Amino acid sequence: MPPLRRRFLAVPAAALTALAVTQAVTAGPAVAAAAADVSTTLAARTTSVPAAGDISGSGQAVVWRQKTSADTRAHGWLAVSGGTPQDLGRLADTDETVTVHAVSVQDGVVAAATTTNPNGALADHVTLRDLDSGAEDVLPVAYDSSGAAGDERYRAQAGDGILVQQNYDDDLVRLVLRTPNSADQTLLSGDEQHEVLASDAHGALVLRRTAPGWDHRIVYVDFATGTTVTVAEPTTDELPQGLEFTPGHVGVVDGATLTEWQRSAPGDGPSKVTLPYADARWISDDTLAWYRWSAADGAAELFAMARDGSTPATDLGGTATDLSVGDDGRMRLTLYRDDVDAAIQTLTDGRISNAAGDATTIPAGPARLDALALSGGALYTADDSSRRQGVLLRSALSAVPAGASASTPSRVLAYTGGLVHQTLAAAEGRVLVEQGSAYEPGHFQVYDEDGTPVGTPLNYADVSVVSVVDFDGERALVSDKTTASDGTLLLYTFEGGHTQRVPSGSALSGGALYSSVRNGTTSTWSIRRTDLTTGKVTTAATVNCLPGGLQVRGSRILLTTCGTAASTTGLLLKAGSSATTTVDSSVHTPILGTDVLYTFTKSSDSTAVTLNAQSLTGTSTDTQPLFTLPDKADTGAADRWAVDRDAPWAAWMDDTGVTHVVWAGVPTAASSAAPAGFSPNGDGKTDTWAPTWAYDRPVSWTLTLKSGTTQVRSLTGTSTVGKVAPVWNGTTSTGSAAAEGAYTWTLTARDTVTGRVAADITGKVTLRRTVPAATVTSPTVASSAATTASVPVSWSAKTAGVKSYDIGWRVATRNSTGVWKLGSLQTWRTGTTATSAVFGKAGSPVKPVAGLTYRFYVRAHDDAGQTGAWSKAATTGIPVDDRATALRYTGTWKSVAATSAWSGTERVSATKGAYVSFTADGTQLRVVATRKSDGGRFAVVVDGKTVGTVNTYAARTAYRQVVFTRTLGTTIKTHKVQLRILSGSTSARSTVTLDAVMVTR
């Protein structure tokens, strides 16, 4: 049934005219893209949602009226059980295209009211189609635009018939029921006018004005009996709060009271029903629905619940034209869903039904995208053509070697608080939209990517007096032309809704406000940066002219004018740098993006303006033409083009609604791997230098290698997939071997499609032909360097270009069977740049053990990335202290403390014949003693044989001296050793001071 609307919601004629002008699309110039570009398109947004007055439902059959993309005239559409909709638009007995005025379905019969009048006059016939049999009947309507007696107007369907209003006696009308093959049945007469509020095959609710008082009455008329009962008598032509028209009942709602008549016996009088909610407006057999104004988002929110109150009220969103009740007593609404562009959805018990066939996808119809915004490689469009509340769409953009691509538009906002007039700006994953209409307060609102409102909207009764100058995702700069602000610039923070005045010409970037300030009375101006979080103010740049039209992106600053107000020359500079570049501002205000500058040029006949892009990171300063700017839809509409200030993209829309997106950037290296060096020495290891770079675009490239300022070699190539993989074998351009040393390389890449040059990549590579080598040293006996078990180890390079070292160690230990075995090489230091360390101190892997022998090794890494072999070992033994149990003393011996001795003690004897004995399992024997002025002599006996005599005399005391060394063999065997005291050379030189013994293993 048609919607039950309040009369005061009618749109004034002036507003309708303005809307028609806004939606008109004027033809613009042919938009020519650059000869070579990287671009993609998004299909025209063609889906629109019909209003509830254009929807009718009966069981699983749903029909609606809608325009197609190819035809400006409305068609009728039918869907049964959620199946593919059928176009009902060509039902007349003519081959001409018909205009569909109304469609409805009742009791399995579809009615389409149409006309063949090219001017869209009212319906002159109604075609009835039986969905079961397919049979059709065409009932004429004697429409006469003069309104003379006999003039007829189609009012509504009545099952397999129609309700027609007829004029008679010049100023009276009657309502008749017309059915195929039957005479007309007069239902009501003697009236001034009729409006059918609801109807089905059995009866109708009619608003009538009757003579002689021409008062208002809402009556229910029963078709079978002709019985009429008055349901309500409003004092004006405004409808009651709510009406009921279900298969079983008719009635009127007043507050929370429903006065209800049974349609089977309307003359029996009404009954009173208390509703579970006082705001109910629409009533079906199972559902109550109503609207409630929301001050938060300035919209009428649709609520629904089960009629018997068994389910709570649910906010369904929507607008005042969304709801319709079919002759089956079920409610339906139209909406955008996540899975389809638009749908007609059935409500059951106040909730959206998920039953099969209860959701009908709406086919393509015209829709207008009225604005574009780009940010961070995302395209935002606002679609406000199909409903009072707009839909905001987002597409992700990418430029890869295969070309540009755009994801399928996804809805950011399925329902917004008020009409989306245009997408004003986008930044940091957020969008700023202007909302409101002539009937709603205007405001600016920020939304996240998921459609969540951010912060407090900026409200204005008339948004035409303000304009958004800049937006950074959190704040907006607004030029306020209201009387109170008198055109000043306001900084509005959406989080908290805070407003403050800022200097004119300011700009936002990176959480800071930039503004220009004159330096006293001088002719210089400072560009000041104010951190909006800390309030700290710094000077970003200084210029020698009056700056105007400030724009900032990162460290770059653009002054769109620099000088007088009439200046047509801008200035591009970097924070902290005195270097500047002039920019032409004569055609259109240039736009500074991140790493790209957008400029404009005119054609020779000044009829077309071309948008150009200049990369600020590449080595080339050439500008590239992108496209010719399209015309606006009308003078009051938004521009149909936009640029991305955070990523190199630009977009424009043609007259058919197709959106064209052009990549404006230069190739970038997404990843790289460039070895630090190589060694072309023929050993099969890193004989070539083979760096790789992965660009996001197909490129032609040149790699130049220099020694100092002299070019040594140049390599070139082309990659359709963006992979650059040159190979240098270490030869010069003449084929001779390049000298060892460091070389500077520079990679230049150019996009093979657009010709745009990427930023150069530079670095160094080292060529070495000699394998790096190093040597390691350590004391043979640990006691020679210290009094405790710690070993100073040092190492050094033997070849050029060594950058770091690995240090390893091994030790021989006795296994469970008593056999001495040398352990595996273990790492002590890796990649160290140090040249010494102490084994046994902090960072040592183990604490050295007395009686064991440690071997140290080193290998070198050079600047060419080579790793040398492990060096020869430096061997250090840890001696056994004089107090060790392995030493057995015979005769007179005395233990004394000595700070400078090994482990702090010594064993002393001056008795001839006294001795110390021990077992030596090893290849070498060393005796550590103290030499003194009273030093005596001792004999060394190995396996019962005297192998040497040692004199420990010295004029000055010397601690931890290796006084005897003896090779015991080439393999480890067990030997019996004695150190026996001999008579002194004199009585004053007869004392032997033993410190330690060491056996190399």
Side-chain angles (χ1 to χ4, degrees), residues 241 591 893:
Q241 171 184 315
I591 303 172
W893 292 87

Side-chain angles (χ1 to χ4, degrees), residues 232-258:
E233 296 184 75
T235 57
T236 67
D237 61 354
E238 181 179 319
L239 294 180
Q241 171 184 315
L243 294 173
E244 177 189 32
F245 189 87
T246 69
H249 296 86
V250 294
V252 63
V253 180
D254 182 11
T257 301
L258 168 65

Side-chain angles (χ1 to χ4, degrees), residues 113-140:
T114 57
T115 181
T116 57
N117 191 311
N119 297 319
L122 295 184
D124 54 24
H125 57 275
V126 178
T127 303
L128 301 171
R129 175 190 293 177
D130 188 292
L131 293 177
D132 291 330
S133 65
E136 291 186 359
D137 290 292
V138 179
L139 300 181

Side-chain angles (χ1 to χ4, degrees), residues 486-513:
D486 193 25
T488 58
L489 191 63
L490 304 179
L491 173 64
Y492 183 78
T493 303
F494 287 91
E495 188 66 40
H498 176 65
T499 303
Q500 68 183 87
R501 291 191 180 188
V502 296
S504 61
S506 295
L508 292 170
S509 180
L513 178 75

Side-chain angles (χ1 to χ4, degrees), residues 876-897:
T876 299
I878 310 300
V880 175
D881 183 44
D882 63 281
R883 294 171 292 179
T885 58
L887 303 181
R888 298 178 298 278
Y889 293 94
T890 303
T892 303
W893 292 87
K894 181 181 179 182
S895 180
V896 297

